[in-house]
């Protein structure tokens, strides 16, 4: 395999990349090339490519032929894979890029007009800058390499359609590409990465490839893909790890209209769906891969379920007290079933699965299964019942605490002492009786203060006298200064 690099060291052999590269002789292959330097993981394969032979990569919708003039954008970086030999009239190269030639591949100039090509057109290679790693529509998933090659792809919720941290990532062997790896994290960990037929399962080795010329043209963005992440060693499955990029993933998804009565939203999925969701509760003896194969052979192989899409994975379901207070999360197996219609067929399969759980659940390590369907309102009703039940529990607890306090079984903690209120005597002294339109309301009868003439009959009260502004008395300790105190 050979690579043509559009760099300064190659420019000595080529015309300026900004100029038209014309090949002037009859079939003449370019000679200015340099040599190109047991888990539950799934295989995730990148779909787009930057192959010369892929007609979707050209603005005219066809692969250039001998009468055409080929143009690459001068300001874009590109890595193009060429599988066979092609004739062209001329070629305009980019400022920075590479052409990777398969064995026996190359270019030559067809003298005159190619009879099978017509008059010829100027065709441009499409821009691939906008292809993002976290676009779930750009990936295919399979359980094995054979399934991947045979086209037996798996359905997954959007969050898990993108490579998970324990998955093997594959870019097609006879292919090149360009992918934007921008994400919410600095790194994107995966188990392994396969590029041009070479598998990288070491962090250091793949980091060196990313630093190479081809690596920089194929991978770009703010985050770096890292290989060598451990596979999933838990037989019950592992969390995908893409929840932190959920919003980014869903920004690339367009949801369609639905025809079912009660659409469902599965965990990790961006859109509501018509179908069914089965939640599997399991023990340590459960094996996710074995159960996936069981469902595949027991049900999905049946003619009536041939159109079914089924995605199965472990999810971490958030737990909340009364639906408000977070209490952590609990692992469970989520099975999303779609039939592309109203969900009736999905509901039938979901019920067949629960029957199988009732019959063989103990052998499979399954303790129970719950169903949500798009044709029944049971899901929303269950939520309402749960909320009402939670409110009743709270009211009951409050009543019990009040009764215990009332009977003295439980004592309320003493309240901290409050700061003393400011004295009101200052306000009383300034009160004018005439403003009150009558006598002062003293609140209760005081035989001493309400009948001032009684003070004369009480010994020691000859120094106490009353006026409209208050009660005055002489303090004998300070009678030398004849200090009056007013109350």
């Amino acid at each position: 395999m050979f690579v043509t690099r559009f760099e300064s060291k190659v420019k000595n052999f080529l015309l300026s990349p900004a100029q038209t590269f014309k090949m002037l002789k009859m079939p003449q292959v370019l000679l200015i090339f340099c040599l190109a330097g047991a888990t539950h993981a799934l295989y995730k394969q990148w779909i787009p490519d930057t192959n010369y032979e892929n007609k979707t990569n050209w603005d005219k919708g066809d692969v250039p032929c001998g009468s055409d003039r080929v143009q690459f954008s001068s300001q874009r970086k590109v890595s193009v894979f060429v599988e066979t030999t092609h004739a062209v009239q001329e070629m305009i190269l980019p400022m920075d890029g590479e052409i990777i030639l398969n064995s026996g591949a190359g270019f030559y100039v067809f003298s005159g007009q190619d009879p099978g090509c017509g008059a010829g057109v100027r065709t441009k290679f499409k821009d691939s800058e906008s292809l993002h790693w976290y676009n779930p529509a750009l990936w295919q998933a399979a359980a094995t390499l054979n399934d991947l090659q045979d086209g037996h792809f798996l359905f997954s919720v959007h969050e898990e359609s993108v490579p998970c941290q324990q998955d093997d990532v594959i870019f097609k062997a006879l292919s090149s590409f360009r992918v934007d790896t921008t994400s919410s994290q600095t790194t994107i960990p995966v188990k392994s990465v396969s590029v041009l037929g070479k598998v990288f399962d070491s962090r250091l080795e793949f980091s060196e490839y990313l630093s190479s010329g081809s690596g920089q043209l194929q991978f770009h963005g703010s985050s770096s893909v890292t290989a060598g992440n451990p596979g999933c060693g838990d037989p019950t499955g592992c969390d995908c790890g893409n929840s932190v990029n959920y919003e980014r993933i869903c920004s690339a998804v367009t949801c369609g209209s639905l025809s079912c009565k009660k659409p469902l939203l599965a965990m990790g999925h961006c859109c509501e769906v018509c179908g069914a969701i089965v939640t599997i509760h399991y023990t340590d003896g459960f094996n996710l891969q074995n159960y996936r194969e069981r469902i595949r052979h027991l049900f999905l192989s049946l003619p009536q379920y041939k159109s079914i899409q089924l995605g199965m994975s472990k999810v971490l379901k958030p737990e909340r007290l009364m639906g408000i207070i977070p209490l952590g999360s609990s692992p469970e197996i989520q099975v999303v079933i779609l039939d592309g219609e109203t969900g009736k067929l999905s509901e039938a399969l979901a019920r067949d699965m629960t029957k199988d759980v009732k019959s063989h659940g103990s052998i499979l390590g399954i303790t129970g299964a719950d169903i949500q369907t798009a044709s029944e309102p049971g899901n929303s009703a269950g939520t309402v019942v749960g909320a009402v039940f939670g409110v009743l529990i709270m009211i009951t607890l409050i009543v019990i605490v009040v009764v215990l306090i009332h009977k003295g079984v439980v004592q309320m903690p003493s309240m901290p002492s409050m700061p003393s209120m400011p004295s009101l005597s200052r306000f009383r002294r300034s009160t004018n009786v005439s403003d009150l339109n009558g006598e002062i309301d003293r609140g209760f009868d005081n035989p001493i203060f309400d009948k001032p003439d009684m003070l004369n009959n009480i010994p020691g009260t000859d120094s106490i006298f009353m006026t409209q502004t208050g009660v005055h008395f002489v303090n004998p300790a300070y009678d030398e200064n004849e200090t009056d105190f007013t109350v």
Side-chain angles (χ1 to χ4, degrees), residues 201-214:
D201 55 9
S202 165
R203 185 187 183 100
L204 178 60
E205 187 180 16
F206 188 62
S207 177
E208 292 176 351
Y209 179 79
L210 292 178
S211 301
S212 67
S214 294

Side-chain angles (χ1 to χ4, degrees), residues 295-315:
I295 298 302
R296 178 178 177 179
H297 293 292
L298 196 61
F299 299 111
L300 298 183
S301 60
L302 299 177
Q304 63 266 34
Y305 294 139
K306 192 174 182 179
S307 61
I308 285 288
Q309 288 183 311
L310 185 146
M312 183 186 305
S313 61
K314 175 188 280 189
V315 296

Side-chain angles (χ1 to χ4, degrees), residues 159-477:
E159 193 175 286
E160 297 174 12
S161 297
V162 177
C164 299
Q165 57 188 352
Q166 62 271 0
D167 287 340
D168 295 292
V169 177
I170 296 179
F171 295 92
K172 298 174 185 177
L174 298 179
S175 174
S176 192
F177 57 91
R178 184 163 174 81
V179 55
D180 185 352
T181 59
T182 299
S183 74
S184 303
Q185 299 171 299
T186 57
T187 61
I188 303 175
V190 294
K191 182 184 175 186
S192 69
V193 181
S194 177
V195 180
L196 293 171
K198 179 176 175 56
V199 178
F200 298 91
D201 55 9
S202 165
R203 185 187 183 100
L204 178 60
E205 187 180 16
F206 188 62
S207 177
E208 292 176 351
Y209 179 79
L210 292 178
S211 301
S212 67
S214 294
Q216 293 180 25
L217 291 173
Q218 293 167 342
F219 297 89
H220 69 105
S222 62
S223 303
S224 177
V225 180
T226 59
N229 199 56
C232 178
D234 186 352
T236 65
C238 294
D239 178 51
C240 177
N242 280 336
S243 58
V244 68
N245 286 290
Y246 176 77
E247 295 296 334
R248 186 180 299 275
I249 292 171
C250 291
S251 66
V253 177
T254 301
C255 300
S257 59
L258 302 175
S259 58
C260 52
K261 297 179 180 179
K262 298 291 181 180
L264 305 174
L265 182 60
M267 289 187 61
H269 209 57
C270 302
C271 306
E272 292 182 326
V273 296
C274 294
I277 299 175
V278 180
T279 302
I280 303 293
H281 307 284
Y282 61 91
T283 64
D284 293 339
F286 177 75
N287 188 294
L288 178 61
Q289 184 62 25
N290 291 346
Y291 188 65
R292 182 183 283 121
E293 291 299 320
R294 176 183 179 84
I295 298 302
R296 178 178 177 179
H297 293 292
L298 196 61
F299 299 111
L300 298 183
S301 60
L302 299 177
Q304 63 266 34
Y305 294 139
K306 192 174 182 179
S307 61
I308 285 288
Q309 288 183 311
L310 185 146
M312 183 186 305
S313 61
K314 175 188 280 189
V315 296
L316 300 179
K317 183 179 181 180
E319 293 184 337
R320 295 179 181 274
L321 178 61
M322 298 179 62
I324 301 175
I325 305 174
L327 296 177
S329 60
S330 61
E332 59 187 26
I333 304 302
Q334 176 180 262
V335 184
V336 181
I337 309 172
L338 306 180
D339 55 31
E341 298 179 1
T342 59
K344 292 291 186 180
L345 192 60
S346 301
E347 179 180 342
L349 175 56
R351 299 200 181 282
D352 285 345
M353 290 178 59
T354 55
K355 291 178 182 178
D356 181 58
V357 168
K358 291 179 181 178
S359 301
H360 306 95
S362 58
I363 301 175
L364 300 172
I366 299 176
T367 58
D370 303 324
I371 298 180
Q372 301 176 48
T373 64
S375 61
E376 295 181 356
N379 183 38
S380 58
T383 302
V384 173
V385 171
V388 172
F389 185 69
V391 172
L392 291 176
I393 291 178
M394 181 62 71
I395 294 175
T396 303
L397 291 175
I398 294 175
V399 171
I400 292 174
V401 171
V402 172
V403 172
L404 292 177
I405 293 175
H406 181 71
K407 291 186 176 182
V409 178
V410 177
Q411 295 183 354
M412 292 292 291
S414 59
M415 299 297 291
S417 60
M418 299 296 291
S420 59
M421 296 294 293
S423 174
L424 298 179
S425 60
R426 176 170 57 86
F427 299 98
R428 294 193 186 100
R429 288 195 299 270
S430 62
T431 302
N432 193 337
V433 176
S434 62
D435 295 337
L436 300 178
N437 297 323
E439 296 182 356
I440 300 175
D441 184 5
R442 295 179 175 83
F444 62 91
D445 294 334
N446 190 321
I448 295 179
F449 292 97
D450 290 343
K451 298 179 179 181
D453 55 334
M454 293 184 63
L455 293 174
N456 297 327
N457 300 326
I458 301 175
T461 60
D462 54 346
S463 60
I464 301 176
F465 54 94
M466 295 183 62
T467 67
Q468 288 185 346
T469 60
V471 179
H472 300 263
F473 65 93
V474 177
N475 190 333

Side-chain angles (χ1 to χ4, degrees), residues 45-114:
Q45 180 173 266
W46 179 253
I47 298 175
D49 60 53
T50 52
N51 289 6
Y52 192 93
E53 288 80 11
N54 187 347
K55 63 181 182 180
T56 63
N57 288 330
W58 299 96
D59 64 344
K60 297 297 189 292
D62 286 311
V63 179
C65 54
S67 300
D68 294 337
R69 291 170 294 280
V70 177
Q71 180 177 349
F72 293 90
S73 176
S74 61
Q75 302 301 321
R76 294 295 187 183
K77 297 180 178 180
V78 66
S79 173
V80 180
F81 184 87
V82 182
E83 188 173 357
T84 61
T85 302
H86 296 272
V88 295
Q89 284 292 318
E90 64 182 31
M91 182 181 291
I92 299 177
L93 304 177
M95 294 295 295
D96 188 9
E98 68 179 4
I99 293 181
I100 304 175
L101 297 174
N102 191 27
S103 177
F107 295 96
Y108 66 91
V109 173
F110 195 93
S111 179
Q113 186 174 337
D114 187 350

